Amino acid sequence: MNKKTGILGLLLLTLFPLSVQTTQAQTAQAQTAERGLKECIRMGIERNLSLKNARIGIEAGRTTVSQARANLLPQVNGTLQAGDYLKRPVNVTTSTLLGADFPDNPTWGKVRTMPLTAQGVIQVGLPLYNATIYTAIDAAKVVESLNHTSYEKARLDLAVQIAQVYFMAQATLENRYLLDENIERMDSLCRITRALYEQGVVLEIDYTRVDINRKNLIAQRNQVVMLYGQQMNVMRFLLNLDATEPIDVVRMPQDITKLPVGGLNEQLPELQLADQKLTLLDRQIRQTRAGYLPSLTLVGQMGYMGFQESAGDFFGSKNNWFGNAYVGLNVSIPLFDANKRRLQIHQYRHQQEQARNSRLLQHAQLQEQYDNAVLQIAQTERIFLIQRENLRQSTDVYGVTEIKYKEGVSSMTELLQDEMRLREAQGNLVTAHYQFNKSQVDLLRLSGNLDTIINE
């Protein structure tokens, strides 16, 4: 027996460090899986796929500006052309040009060209003044600003979405811990009731009631665990994480933290977008008006043209190639466009009026949301304080009733009712905490202080 005991002791000593290491590894993994709100928001901004598309839109806007500026650079075109006249063209002239001077009765002479022609030309055009190009560059810059503002709006919207999911997961996690405590308390009550039943102090129905409550709590906990897993899947989607990567939220703090906010931020991305759309319409009107102005272009051309009787002569010794080159100024003056530009400007004017009204409506809606958010956060703060006091009282009441039940003074029904009120107070406090956090995020968003929960 002593030998077996020694072997068993040695085996336990061998396995104990392994179990300690395993426990430490699991604890370390659980700690690394926990991510704070700020870390989750930063990860979402860096990795979210929708936000990546918004960043690509910024690059596209920069490319549009570069494309518009490229119209100010010289344009060089090369042309190679070869042709075969199936019927030789004829040039007709008077005999005077052919060397015969017959002013009273000029005769007509015909000159036939060769059937095969080939030419190579290089044309160069440099805009010296073109108001349409300049206004197009200004419009492209406004579009680039629109893309920047759209990205900023998408960034803030993503931060709000992550924060709301995070706070919801915190509430779910807190409910899970509370259910664990309640199940443990109910297990203890089951054991006490079982002992009292075996001693004939209470009826079997009392033990059955406690056991039913315990099973209901276990079922609720399983439901909460499933809900928390679904919320973590949503978080992985927002952060663009792998489905197998572990992630958890930090436990909900015991008290609420009220962050300072100001009034409605007049530089919210929604208002900036409305202002930039008005600016873009103004640039489009200027671009359309620029079409009425003349444009000046420096042009030049250099090339060679050859005429031959047969295709082989182009590669022979016959020198039937003639060069030409010129430099000039091209002035383009628009005279009449059938009122196309004027009607287009009228259309832009109507769109401007709509954009102004939309901007006023947007500002009024944001102001309404801000005022409601101020009222909401004040109400949720009051509710949290009330529910915290209710929880304290419910805990005290349940403690007294539990003592009375053990002493045989209170009934099982009273104990279970007080335990139910305690669980209800716990849930109400967690819900009030979540509602406060959610209202505060909305208020920070509207006041322009959302970066306080994004940046350290």
Side-chain angles (χ1 to χ4, degrees), residues 80-89 112-120 304-311 313-314 320-322:
L80 295 176
Q81 184 178 354
D84 184 358
Y85 291 104
L86 300 179
K87 186 175 182 180
R88 293 188 181 188
R112 293 184 179 274
T113 63
M114 294 184 180
L116 300 178
T117 61
Q119 65 176 344
Y304 281 88
M305 177 176 290
F307 300 91
Q308 300 293 348
E309 287 286 348
S310 62
D313 294 338
F314 283 108
N320 292 337
W321 289 90
F322 307 93

Side-chain angles (χ1 to χ4, degrees), residues 45 48-64 143-144 146-148 150-151 154:
I45 293 174
N48 185 266
L49 295 178
S50 298
L51 214 55
K52 285 184 178 180
N53 284 338
R55 282 193 288 266
I56 294 174
I58 293 177
E59 297 298 326
R62 293 172 180 169
T63 303
T64 303
V143 173
E144 183 183 11
L146 277 168
N147 291 334
H148 276 282
S150 298
Y151 169 78

Side-chain angles (χ1 to χ4, degrees), residues 7 98 105 129 179 200 219 424 452:
I7 294 174
L98 296 177
N105 186 18
Y129 175 77
L179 284 170
E424 183 179 356
T452 56

Side-chain angles (χ1 to χ4, degrees), residues 92-189:
V92 180
T93 184
T94 62
S95 298
T96 303
L97 298 179
L98 296 177
D101 188 8
F102 300 102
D104 296 334
N105 186 18
T107 61
W108 298 92
K110 297 180 180 180
V111 179
R112 293 184 179 274
T113 63
M114 294 184 180
L116 300 178
T117 61
Q119 65 176 344
V121 178
I122 295 178
Q123 296 175 332
V124 180
L126 176 62
L128 299 180
Y129 175 77
N130 193 322
T132 302
I133 296 178
Y134 300 140
T135 53
I137 294 174
D138 292 338
K141 291 179 180 179
V142 176
V143 173
E144 183 183 11
S145 298
L146 277 168
N147 291 334
H148 276 282
T149 307
S150 298
Y151 169 78
E152 181 63 19
K153 182 179 183 301
R155 186 181 73 91
L156 296 178
D157 290 343
L158 177 64
V160 170
Q161 191 175 5
I162 292 175
Q164 291 177 348
V165 175
Y166 191 93
F167 292 141
M168 190 182 302
Q170 272 189 327
T172 304
L173 181 63
E174 194 65 25
N175 283 326
R176 193 190 76 185
Y177 282 114
L178 291 174
L179 284 170
D180 289 339
E181 296 176 3
N182 294 332
I183 291 173
E184 184 179 355
R185 183 172 60 250
M186 197 59 64
D187 287 338
S188 176
L189 186 57

Side-chain angles (χ1 to χ4, degrees), residues 306-341:
F307 300 91
Q308 300 293 348
E309 287 286 348
S310 62
D313 294 338
F314 283 108
F315 309 98
S317 59
K318 293 184 177 181
N319 188 14
N320 292 337
W321 289 90
F322 307 93
N324 64 85
Y326 74 88
V327 176
L329 293 175
N330 183 12
V331 180
S332 178
I333 304 175
L335 298 178
F336 181 69
D337 64 349
N339 292 328
K340 181 179 178 180
R341 293 186 182 89

Side-chain angles (χ1 to χ4, degrees), residues 226-333:
M226 182 197 69
L227 179 61
Y228 182 75
Q230 292 174 340
Q231 291 166 348
M232 289 301 96
N233 289 334
V234 175
M235 187 66 72
R236 289 187 185 93
F237 169 75
L238 294 176
L239 305 187
N240 192 23
L241 298 177
D242 188 76
T244 60
E245 186 169 347
I247 181 174
D248 285 297
V249 299
V250 180
R251 283 196 64 175
M252 181 179 286
Q254 295 298 319
D255 202 357
I256 58 176
T257 302
K258 196 169 183 180
L259 300 176
V261 294
L264 177 67
N265 185 16
E266 297 294 337
Q267 298 299 320
L268 287 174
E270 292 88 343
L271 299 178
Q272 291 186 26
L273 285 172
D275 293 335
Q276 290 168 356
K277 287 178 181 178
L278 280 170
T279 304
L280 179 60
L281 287 170
D282 180 70
R283 297 297 184 272
Q284 289 173 333
I285 291 175
R286 293 183 184 181
Q287 184 177 358
T288 305
R289 283 177 174 172
Y292 289 114
L293 301 177
S295 61
L296 179 63
T297 307
L298 177 65
V299 296
Q301 177 175 307
M302 182 180 66
Y304 281 88
M305 177 176 290
F307 300 91
Q308 300 293 348
E309 287 286 348
S310 62
D313 294 338
F314 283 108
F315 309 98
S317 59
K318 293 184 177 181
N319 188 14
N320 292 337
W321 289 90
F322 307 93
N324 64 85
Y326 74 88
V327 176
L329 293 175
N330 183 12
V331 180
S332 178
I333 304 175

